[in-house]
Amino acid sequence: MHRPVQRQRLTRILVCAAAVPVMLIASGCSSDSGSDSGSGGDAKKDSSAEASPSATKAGAVVKKEAYAKLPEPCGVFSSKTLKELVPEGTKSNKVGKSDDTSTRGSCSWNSLDNNGVKGSQFRWLNVSLLRFESNETRGAGDKLAAEYYATQLEDAKAVSGAKGVKSRPVLGTGEEATLVTYDLKKKEGTFKQQTVVTRVENVVVTIDYNGAGLAGDKAPTVDDLSKSAEKAAKEAVQAVVTANGGGDAAGSGSGAAPSKSPSQSAGKSPSKSPSKSAGKDSDSSDEPSAGPSKSAAKN
């Protein structure tokens, strides 16, 4: 006498199994009896609870970072560029300390052209690179880089003792770039500082370049130093793009489609991203007493 009921229940179970992909139907198939409103209500609640974690997980997916590695910091500039910016110090390069060269690095050069009784010309160049990886907790790599870019720029404008601080955008260098200039008086003389902070996708590049005429020699012009600093920034950005398999980085943005990293291809989770204070770990130990910017000291 119970066979029709059992067959009816079996039929309903098979129908429910076929309807699993359709979430709206699942709650209607969870009860043996459609007249049992209590169990039907519980089933709807349970079905909704099971669906929400999946939806949350899908919404939390973070875009992969564009650039998976950095170039070797002491190799970002051509010999021609170094000859122009640090003519007497092309081989004086000193790499900064870093606990993770895949996410941060720096290198500096210094040049002293001694002209005897006529004085001398001093130049100091530093490049700092900081790469941010996408993180489900902190967000996308380019977003983290943009935040650090803004902080780095403010630091460059807030150096203690800086006189005549000015800033202006630099076009055709990464996604965004700004030049900051000022004078800084030291016991050796007045140093003219140029700092270019630029962001290319998830990498922030900071160029510090300063010069001074010492012992009576004529001071270099801000225009000449600024052009050199901007040239160095463009070259460093290109080095980042090239290191990741991209092409020409000229233009308003990076202008190149970065290659996928091995971890992207394998679907591995990103490694630990650098903290906001990570730039301090790539500090260059040969910072001259002649006063590089505050941002250079941090990177």
Side-chain angles (χ1 to χ4, degrees), residues 245-257:
D248 185 6
S252 58
S254 61

Side-chain angles (χ1 to χ4, degrees), residues 66-89:
Y67 296 118
K69 59 183 178 180
L70 294 175
E72 198 283 313
C74 291
V76 299
F77 303 125
S78 66
S79 57
K80 180 180 178 181
T81 297
L82 289 175
K83 185 65 176 176
E84 292 176 4
L85 273 63
V86 284
E88 301 300 319

